[in-house]
Amino acid sequence: MPRLGAEAALRREAEAHGPEHSEALARGIAVLSAFGAARRAMTLAEAAHATGLPRATARRALATLLNLGLVESEGRQFRLTPRVLRLATGYLASNGVSSLLQPRCERIAAERGTTCSVAMLEGAEIVFVAHAQAARLSPFSAMVGTRLPAHCTALGRVLLAALPDPALERVLATLRPAPVTPRTETDPARIRAAILAARAAGHALVENEAELGFRSLAVPLRRYDGRVVAALNLGAPLALHPAGEMVAHLLPVLLGEAEDVGAQLV
C-alpha cells in the first residue's frame, strides 16, 4: 500500500502545481534524495522501498540518473557520483548567505574554539549552509547540507520564532517530534513555549537535545530590511562553556557578528 500512497501523493502534488509540473522529474528527485548517510548505496528494491515508488518507476529514475552521470552502479548497487556536487555548487555559488558566511564561520570557530554554523529553515527542518569547527569537538560532525529537526536545535528554534504566527502554527500543527537523543523535547506544548521564549529573548540556548553533551547558542540573521533569512550559532561541549557563561560571554559575540553581516545580506 505505501507504493499506492506515494503514487497518489505525487498525483495530488502534480494536480496542485498545475499542468506544467513534471511528475517524472519529481520522481527522479525523490530517488536522488533517498541517498544519504543511512543509504550510501541502494539496490533497485531498496530505492523503491525508500521512496515508496513502484519498482518500474524507480528503475526508470535510476536509469535516467545513471545516464546523466549522477549515480553509478556496481552489480546491483547504485550510489551517488561526485557529479551530484555540481547541483550543490551551483546553489552555494549563487547563495549570498553561504558564500558570505562560510569564511566568517571559519574565523569565529578558530577564534573561539567552538563550532560555528549558519542554517536556514526548510519546513520543519534546518539545513546547514555554512559550518566550521576549530577542532573535532564531538562525535557529531556537521557539514554544509546537514539537516536536523528544527524543534530541538537552537538554530531551528530561532528560525521558527521568526515566522509569522500563522506560518508557525502551520509548522507546529504538522510536527511529529521524534527524539534525537534521550533529552530531546518532544512535548508539543513545551516545544511551542521554547520557541516563543526564543522569540522574546532574541536568542535560543539548547543543550543535549540534538547531541548529548553539547550546547548551542543561536541568534537570527536579519538582512538589510529586517527580515530573518538564517540563523547563526556557536556550539561547544557542556564542560567547555557552562550555560550562564556561554550566554554572558558568547551572546554578545554572536549579536555583534549578526549585526555586522546584516547589511550585506540581500
Side-chain angles (χ1 to χ4, degrees):
M1 297 311 294
R3 292 180 179 177
L4 294 177
E7 286 290 284
L10 284 170
R11 283 196 296 272
R12 287 195 299 271
E13 184 180 3
E15 291 169 359
H17 288 294
E20 299 302 316
H21 180 82
S22 172
E23 194 171 337
L25 178 59
R27 290 166 172 168
I29 292 174
V31 172
L32 198 63
S33 301
F35 290 92
R39 303 189 192 95
R40 299 178 187 274
M42 292 188 291
T43 64
L44 168 60
E46 289 168 339
H49 182 267
T51 57
L53 295 172
R55 285 174 62 99
T57 301
R59 181 185 296 110
R60 287 193 295 272
L62 284 168
T64 303
L65 295 171
L66 192 64
N67 292 337
L68 294 173
L70 296 172
V71 302
E72 60 186 6
S73 64
E74 182 177 347
R76 298 173 60 244
Q77 297 283 326
F78 295 86
R79 57 177 53 84
L80 298 180
T81 71
R83 185 181 288 264
V84 171
L85 294 175
R86 293 185 180 183
L87 304 176
T89 300
Y91 170 78
L92 294 173
S94 63
N95 183 281
V97 175
S98 297
S99 58
L100 177 66
L101 287 167
Q102 181 60 38
R104 188 175 292 253
C105 284
E106 293 169 2
R107 173 180 59 77
I108 296 171
E111 290 175 352
R112 301 293 165 177
T114 63
T115 66
C116 183
S117 307
V118 176
M120 302 179 78
L121 188 65
E122 186 176 321
E125 294 183 316
I126 59 167
V127 182
F128 285 74
V129 296
H131 176 76
Q133 59 185 51
R136 193 167 181 82
L137 297 176
S138 68
F140 173 73
S141 182
M143 62 185 72
V144 173
T146 295
R147 308 173 74 89
L148 290 172
H151 71 274
C152 63
T153 60
L155 288 160
R157 287 181 183 171
V158 162
L159 291 168
L160 289 170
L163 293 176
D165 285 339
L168 174 59
E169 291 306 317
R170 284 195 296 271
V171 173
L172 293 177
T174 59
L175 191 64
R176 300 295 181 267
V180 179
T181 76
R183 299 286 298 277
T184 303
E185 182 59 73
T186 58
D187 179 78
R190 287 198 287 266
I191 290 172
R192 175 185 269 103
I195 293 168
L196 295 180
R199 179 185 287 177
H203 68 269
L205 182 70
V206 173
E207 59 183 57
N208 287 317
E209 292 197 48
E211 181 184 1
L212 287 176
F214 212 71
R215 177 183 290 117
S216 293
L217 177 68
V219 299
L221 285 175
R222 302 179 184 276
R223 67 183 189 186
Y224 66 96
D225 60 358
R227 180 185 172 191
V228 174
V229 295
L232 172 71
N233 93 323
L234 293 176
L238 299 182
L240 186 60
H241 288 285
E245 178 184 305
M246 195 169 194
V247 173
H249 295 167
L250 296 184
L251 180 58
V253 173
L254 279 176
L255 292 173
E257 295 286 349
E259 181 177 4
D260 181 58
V261 79
Q264 304 174 59
L265 295 174
V266 295

